[in-house]
């Protein structure tokens, strides 16, 4: 085992000399880029709240179904980030160019397939999540239009993954801010109408997102070509490798989102008010997870960089520091959310749903440090390429949480208690893979 690579030493990366400062410097623009999307989701929620509880519950059904589907295909962005970072750690720029180009091309292909397969299934998907009546109709309107942004979303996610693999966190930040800024500007115009533009209601929020993401996709491709270059040569060996990685991440993300879909289904079955309260908590919780994911994304790039140069001790140092920062950040986030409870109720929770909100909200707040650790270890294992272990960990966690959900009542506090259990299993399995390093761990140091 070694902790340097030919032609260099472990001191050639700023993290070695100033680990905490480097982690913060890289994580801050990631934080801003990641919170841009859930902030837009909160804006969507605030606008749609004015249309009533049924429209807000419909937004929850539509948003969770599509975000779950798009997350399944996020293996392209995750694997591209790791591949580029490992190539950079090994001083192999040609591999970086090849893998980033291939990832973007595959994203466009998968996006078109999503449109072709998804549009005919729009109504069925809303029904599957327990929506009926006006909630079902609103969810169908939202989901139908969002399908057409699928290629743009996947291209943008993959391009930003390539840039973060280069540890160019700022370019990804500007792309995210641009996309979400356009979305926020278009929201009120398309939802409520303005001048010659008719009021589209909940469908307007979907159209705003689609337009914003297509602009962002074109912009992100231009930046990747400028920073890295471009290659139209397809390495079929690399395609097979990405597909193998994709199979593990596809299952992992699919099972993860199955649990989130189950929570939305259980809440929707409880009625419009429970569905609306769950949507409000889910939006804030998603905001929190994106905040916590900033450290995980940065840790992924750093771990991949060091392991690409066979620097296992440096990678373990990244893991230790990322986990410490994550737990403390989770505690601080929980405190901020608790202090802001009144504001959240005023902005996001319809009056008829407030009675269902409080006890579930307490659980979502208290679990934040554990949630942070789950996200941190996910990012670290992405960086090490330990995708199969992550797959198995999430399958076990989801099985545990889903069994509890299905055995319990349609009560919002029970739904969030089972969510806390699901998070706890993921965090525990993530930590023991690094310390002491159970199984064939990439983090295990062989003396």
């Amino acid at each position: 085992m070694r902790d340097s690579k030919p032609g260099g030493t472990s001191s050639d990366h700023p993290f070695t000399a100033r680990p905490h400062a480097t982690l913060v410097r890289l994580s801050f623009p990631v934080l801003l880029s990641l919170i841009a999307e859930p902030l837009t989701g909160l804006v969507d929620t605030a606008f749609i709240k004015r249309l009533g509880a049924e429209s807000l519950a419909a937004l929850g059904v539509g948003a969770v179904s599509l975000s779950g589907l798009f997350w399944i295909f996020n293996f392209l962005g995750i694997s591209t980030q790791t591949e580029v970072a490992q190539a950079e750690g090994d001083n192999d720029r040609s591999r970086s160019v090849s893998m980033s180009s291939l990832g973007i091309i595959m994203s466009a292909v998968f996006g078109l397939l999503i449109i072709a397969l998804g549009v005919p299934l729009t109504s069925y998907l809303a029904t599957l999540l327990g929506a009926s009546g006006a909630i079902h109709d609103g969810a169908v309107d939202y989901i139908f239009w969002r399908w057409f942004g699928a290629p743009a979303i996947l291209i943008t996610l993959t391009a930003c993954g390539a840039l973060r693999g280069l540890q160019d966190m700022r370019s990804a930040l500007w792309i995210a801010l641009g996309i979400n800024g356009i979305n926020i500007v278009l929201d009120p115009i398309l939802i409520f109408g303005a001048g010659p533009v008719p009021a589209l209601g909940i469908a307007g929020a979907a159209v705003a997102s689609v337009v914003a993401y297509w602009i962002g996709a074109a912009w992100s491709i231009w930046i990747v070509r400028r920073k890295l270059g471009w290659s139209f040569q397809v390495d079929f060996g690399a395609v097979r490798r990405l597909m193998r990685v994709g199979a593990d991440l596809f299952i992992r993300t699919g099972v993860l989102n199955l649990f989130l879909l189950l929570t939305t289904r259980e809440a929707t079955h409880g009625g419009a008010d429970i569905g609306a309260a769950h949507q409000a908590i889910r939006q804030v919780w998603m905001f929190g997870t994106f905040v916590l994911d900033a450290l995980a994304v940065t840790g992924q790039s750093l771990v991949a960089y060091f392991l690409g140069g066979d620097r296992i001790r440096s990678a373990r140092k990244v893991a230790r520091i990322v986990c410490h920062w994550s737990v403390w950040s989770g505690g601080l986030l929980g405190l901020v959310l608790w202090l802001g409870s009144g504001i959240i109720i005023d902005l996001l929770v319809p009056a008829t749903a407030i009675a269902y909100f409080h006890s579930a909200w307490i659980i979502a707040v208290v679990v934040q440090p554990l949630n942070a650790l789950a996200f941190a270890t996910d990012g670290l294992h992405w960086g090490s390429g330990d995708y199969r272990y992550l797959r198995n960990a999430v399958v076990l966690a989801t099985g545990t949480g889903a069994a509890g959900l299905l055995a319990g009542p349609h009560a919002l506090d029970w739904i969030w208690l089972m969510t806390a259990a699901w998070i706890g299993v993921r965090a525990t399995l993530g930590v023991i893979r690094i310390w002491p390093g159970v199984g064939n761990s990439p983090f295990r140091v062989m003396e």
Side-chain angles (χ1 to χ4, degrees), residues 113-126:
L113 286 175
I114 289 174
I115 295 175
L117 298 175
V119 170
L121 298 176
T122 300
S123 180
Y124 175 76
L125 182 58

Side-chain angles (χ1 to χ4, degrees), residues 95-444:
R95 181 181 162 207
S96 297
V97 175
S98 174
M99 296 308 297
S100 61
S101 302
L102 178 60
I104 291 172
I105 292 169
M106 291 177 67
S107 295
V109 172
F110 277 118
L112 293 173
L113 286 175
I114 289 174
I115 295 175
L117 298 175
V119 170
L121 298 176
T122 300
S123 180
Y124 175 76
L125 182 58
T127 302
L128 185 65
L129 290 177
S132 60
I135 296 176
H136 177 274
D137 294 341
V140 167
D141 286 343
Y142 182 84
I143 294 169
F144 174 81
W145 288 107
R146 282 296 305 271
W147 288 128
F148 297 99
I153 291 172
L154 298 187
I155 289 170
T156 304
L157 289 173
T158 302
C160 287
L163 293 169
R164 288 173 181 143
L166 289 174
Q167 296 177 27
D168 176 13
M169 312 305 193
R170 295 194 177 209
S171 292
L173 167 61
W174 287 116
I175 292 169
L177 292 178
I179 290 172
N180 290 283
I182 294 169
N183 195 347
I184 290 172
V185 170
L186 292 177
D187 257 348
I189 298 172
L190 296 176
I191 293 172
F192 305 112
V197 179
L200 300 177
I202 191 172
V207 174
S209 296
V210 170
V211 172
Y213 263 106
W214 274 110
I215 294 172
W219 187 14
S220 64
I221 291 174
W222 179 79
I223 292 178
V224 168
R225 292 189 64 175
R226 184 168 61 88
K227 295 279 185 177
L228 267 174
W230 188 266
S231 173
F232 285 105
Q233 294 182 346
V234 177
D235 181 347
F236 289 100
V239 172
R240 288 192 294 270
R241 184 166 70 252
L242 283 180
M243 293 305 294
R244 284 195 299 269
V245 169
D248 289 331
L249 284 177
F250 189 94
I251 295 171
R252 180 257 177 197
T253 309
V255 172
L256 185 151
N257 282 285
L258 174 62
F259 181 80
L260 296 179
L261 291 172
L262 282 174
T263 62
T264 299
R265 181 178 182 272
E266 291 296 298
T268 303
H269 278 167
D273 288 331
I274 290 180
H278 178 70
Q279 164 65 2
I281 297 174
R282 191 189 74 85
Q283 281 288 355
V284 178
W285 184 75
M286 289 299 297
F287 173 81
T289 60
F290 277 94
V291 171
L292 301 175
D293 208 23
L295 290 165
V297 169
T298 304
Q300 176 188 353
S301 286
L302 290 171
V303 162
Y305 178 87
F306 286 123
L307 290 182
D310 199 18
R311 309 178 193 183
I312 301 176
R313 293 188 188 279
S314 294
R316 285 172 63 87
K317 183 177 181 180
V318 171
R320 175 174 56 81
I321 292 175
V322 166
C323 286
H324 285 171
W325 273 87
S326 294
V327 171
W328 283 104
S329 298
L332 179 60
L333 176 63
L335 177 62
V336 170
L337 294 179
W338 175 252
L339 294 175
S341 298
I343 297 173
I344 290 166
I345 291 172
D346 290 341
L347 287 177
L348 303 177
V349 185
T352 55
I354 293 175
Y356 301 99
F357 175 83
H358 291 285
S359 57
W361 175 245
I362 292 172
I363 297 170
V365 167
V366 170
V367 80
Q368 288 305 316
L370 196 60
N371 197 31
L373 194 58
F375 271 79
T377 53
D378 277 358
L380 297 170
H381 295 311
W382 285 336
S384 70
D386 203 4
Y387 304 114
R388 182 158 298 182
Y389 180 82
L390 279 177
R391 179 201 68 187
N392 295 338
V394 172
V395 168
L396 179 58
T398 297
T400 303
L405 274 178
L406 297 176
H410 298 303
L412 198 57
D413 52 353
W414 180 257
I415 291 170
W416 281 94
L417 186 62
M418 289 302 98
T419 301
W422 174 71
I423 291 168
V425 174
R426 289 173 52 207
T428 300
L429 294 175
V431 168
I432 64 174
R433 185 65 162 178
I434 304 171
W435 304 286
V438 297
N440 188 25
S441 172
F443 288 95
R444 177 175 290 178

Side-chain angles (χ1 to χ4, degrees), residues 43-53 55-56 188 191-192 347-348 350:
V43 172
D44 283 347
T45 301
F47 282 132
I48 297 300
K49 174 192 169 186
R50 293 165 56 182
L51 301 179
S55 292
L56 186 57
I191 293 172
F192 305 112
L347 287 177
L348 303 177

